Amino acid sequence: MVPYEHFTQYYETDKMGIIHHSNFIRWLEEARVDLMDQMGFGYERMEAEGIFSPVVSVTCDYKSMVHFHEWVQITVKVRKYNGVRLCLDYEVVRKEGQELCATASSTHCFMDGEGQIVILKKICPELDQKLLALS
């Protein structure tokens, strides 16, 4: 999979002129959505098929400041997948110089439109296989 790239915006900065920490969580979501698109099973398709994937937890460890007008690359890797729960790891790297800016993780489950936990293998074997191939 190709890393997701994000060009930092002025509105993402704080009073000190660095990217506010909360934006990293948004970037993780952007990268996750991009990963699903690259797999050919984007969120629009998932939701059209009645599958939802809420965030159960998210953590982010900040290593280096990111400033306005910089490119960052976000790599997403499947750390663990068991058909019900998906755990992802992320690395946020400044594109110029390849400096590590943050490491993060997120955990997701899969639910139907009624909010019930589902086993992906049973309701969507195609997506199940794609995630297994990445884990």
Side-chain angles (χ1 to χ4, degrees):
M1 297 286 143
V2 177
Y4 175 73
E5 294 190 355
H6 177 83
F7 189 64
T8 60
Q9 302 298 311
Y10 183 76
Y11 71 85
E12 294 174 312
T13 62
D14 61 16
K15 190 173 183 177
M16 295 182 294
I18 61 173
I19 300 300
H20 189 269
H21 68 276
S22 65
N23 289 294
F24 283 72
I25 304 303
R26 293 176 189 208
W27 299 348
L28 303 180
E29 182 174 331
E30 292 172 16
R32 187 170 59 252
V33 167
D34 182 66
L35 173 71
M36 299 301 287
D37 286 340
Q38 287 186 58
M39 289 174 32
F41 219 104
Y43 275 84
E44 291 170 336
R45 180 175 174 191
M46 272 183 28
E47 291 181 1
E49 295 193 23
I51 304 167
F52 301 87
S53 184
V55 174
V56 175
S57 67
V58 63
T59 63
C60 189
D61 294 316
Y62 304 96
K63 309 291 185 185
S64 178
M65 292 180 283
V66 178
H67 298 88
F68 166 60
H69 220 251
E70 291 183 323
W71 281 99
V72 292
Q73 292 178 317
I74 304 162
T75 303
V76 185
K77 293 184 180 172
V78 176
R79 177 174 19 101
K80 183 178 176 186
Y81 169 69
N82 67 6
V84 176
R85 191 171 286 249
L86 173 65
C87 301
L88 302 171
D89 288 331
Y90 308 81
E91 283 191 347
V92 180
V93 174
R94 182 175 292 103
K95 188 173 179 181
E96 184 177 320
Q98 294 297 299
E99 181 181 3
L100 181 64
C101 299
T103 57
S105 65
S106 64
T107 302
H108 309 264
C109 65
F110 295 95
M111 303 178 96
D112 63 18
E114 305 296 316
Q116 299 298 310
I117 300 290
V118 296
I119 298 170
L120 217 49
K121 184 177 182 177
K122 291 182 180 179
I123 65 163
C124 191
E126 180 185 358
L127 179 55
D128 178 69
Q129 289 302 307
K130 288 178 183 273
L131 289 169
L132 282 172
L134 292 177
S135 58

